[in-house]
Amino acid sequence: MIRVAMFSVVYLLCFNVFGQNSANSEDVIVSIDRGVIIYEDFCMNCHLVEGEGVENVIPPLALSDFLMKNREESLKVVKFGQSGKIVVNGKTYNGTMTAMGLTDQEIADVMNYITNSFGNSNAIKFTEQEVLKIEK
């Protein structure tokens, strides 16, 4: 829980420094705080504590070019699962990730956490409405 609180403080300070609306940044912080819990419950077993993944088996979320450059495709992976080849940071992974059965809000929350953690930085908040629109 300390990790969540520290992350929230750092995130809020960064958003305020860059001139973001504090009400909006507080919404993002609440989403990220929920996302930490979801990550620990559903994602951490495979992608590991720092999002580093498992070399040649499970792609990293840390500093992930795929995650940061393919917003819609990343949402599809979390919402529906993924099977087959995927290239992350120049390496090809060929495995399966099953859908976790998360709600659209839970997907938005975990994506807000992941895309603002592990060396990733994302200024555009994921929302439940955005996830709802994602189709296979």
Side-chain angles (χ1 to χ4, degrees):
M1 195 54 105
I2 292 172
R3 177 179 169 160
V4 173
M6 288 178 58
F7 184 84
S8 297
V9 169
V10 170
Y11 189 84
L12 183 58
L13 289 172
C14 289
F15 258 73
N16 285 334
V17 166
F18 294 115
Q20 297 294 320
N21 178 322
S22 65
N24 186 38
S25 62
E26 288 173 11
D27 290 344
V28 172
I29 289 169
V30 170
S31 176
I32 289 171
D33 286 348
R34 292 188 306 248
V36 171
I37 296 165
I38 294 163
Y39 183 84
E40 289 174 351
D41 286 347
F42 292 91
C43 313
M44 191 167 64
N45 285 337
C46 295
H47 291 284
L48 305 180
V49 174
E50 297 299 324
E52 65 270 30
V54 177
E55 191 170 353
N56 300 317
V57 180
I58 298 170
L61 301 174
L63 298 170
S64 170
D65 63 349
F66 180 87
L67 181 66
M68 301 309 294
K69 292 179 183 176
N70 300 288
R71 185 177 179 99
E72 186 174 329
E73 192 62 30
S74 295
L75 284 172
K76 285 182 183 182
V77 169
V78 177
K79 188 170 184 173
F80 302 113
Q82 192 270 337
S83 183
K85 292 182 181 179
I86 185 172
V87 178
V88 179
N89 298 341
K91 290 187 175 183
T92 301
Y93 295 84
N94 190 7
T96 300
M97 180 179 129
T98 60
M100 299 288 120
L102 300 173
T103 67
D104 291 336
Q105 183 62 61
E106 290 171 329
I107 292 169
D109 292 341
V110 78
M111 290 297 289
N112 282 319
Y113 171 64
I114 291 168
T115 61
N116 287 289
S117 301
F118 315 127
N120 301 317
S121 179
N122 177 28
I124 303 170
K125 179 184 174 190
F126 287 92
T127 65
E128 180 180 18
Q129 293 75 27
E130 178 182 11
V131 179
L132 179 66
K133 294 177 185 176
I134 298 296
E135 298 177 353
K136 273 190 173 181

